[in-house]
Amino acid sequence: MQNLVTDLVVTLAYGAVGVVLMAVGYLLVDLTTPGKLHELIWAQRNRNAALLLASNLAGVGTIVVAAIAASADDFALGLVGAAAYGLLGLLIMAAAFVLLDLATPGRLGEILVDPEPHPAVWVSGVVHLATGAIIAAAIS
C-alpha cells in the first residue's frame, strides 16, 4: 500500500509540473499572438489560434513525458529535469516562432489569428511539435 501512495504522490508532482509548464506555454502563445487566446478560441472559435495553442501544448507534453521517462526512477532528478527541459523547450519553441516569423512574409502572429483558416498555422504548429520532439529525443 505504501508503494501505491508513493506512486500517487509522484504522479501528482509530475502532473503539477506538466500543468504549470502547459500554463506557461499558454501564456507564451498568448503573448506572441494579437488578441487574447481565451477570446479567440472560446468566444470567436478561431481554428488558427486553437491549432497553434494545441500544437504548443502537445510539444510541451512530449518534452515532459521524455524527461519523466529519462529520470531512471530518480524522482527529484526527474521532477527538476521535467521542469528544466520543459522551460528550455518553451524558450526554443518561442525562438523558432520568431525565426519562422522573420523568414516568412507578413506578421505571423496576425496571420495565425485570422478568422479564416490559413496554411501558415499548420507550418507553425508543426514547428512546435517538431521542436518538442527534438528536445524529447535529446533528453534520452
Side-chain angles (χ1 to χ4, degrees):
M1 187 62 139
Q2 185 175 349
N3 284 345
L4 174 62
V5 172
T6 300
D7 288 348
L8 289 172
V9 169
V10 167
T11 301
L12 179 64
Y14 278 122
V17 167
V19 168
V20 166
L21 287 169
M22 287 189 291
V24 172
Y26 180 98
L27 292 173
L28 282 174
V29 173
D30 198 21
L31 286 172
T32 58
T33 54
K36 291 293 176 192
L37 275 180
H38 69 274
E39 178 70 24
L40 288 167
I41 295 171
W42 283 272
Q44 297 177 19
R45 303 171 70 102
N46 184 302
R47 286 181 267 165
N48 290 334
L51 181 59
L52 180 67
L53 178 60
S55 65
N56 179 278
L57 297 177
V60 171
T62 302
I63 295 166
V64 171
V65 167
I68 293 168
S71 68
D73 296 328
D74 184 339
F75 171 64
L77 179 63
L79 203 59
V80 170
Y85 285 118
L87 288 173
L88 178 62
L90 286 166
L91 290 174
I92 293 172
M93 281 184 217
F97 182 87
V98 169
L99 288 174
L100 183 62
D101 190 22
L102 292 172
T104 56
R107 298 286 309 152
L108 190 54
E110 292 171 10
I111 291 169
L112 296 175
V113 297
D114 191 306
E116 290 298 314
H118 197 289
V121 95
W122 289 95
V123 174
S124 185
V126 169
V127 167
H128 282 298
L129 295 174
T131 302
I134 290 165
I135 294 165
I139 293 170
S140 50

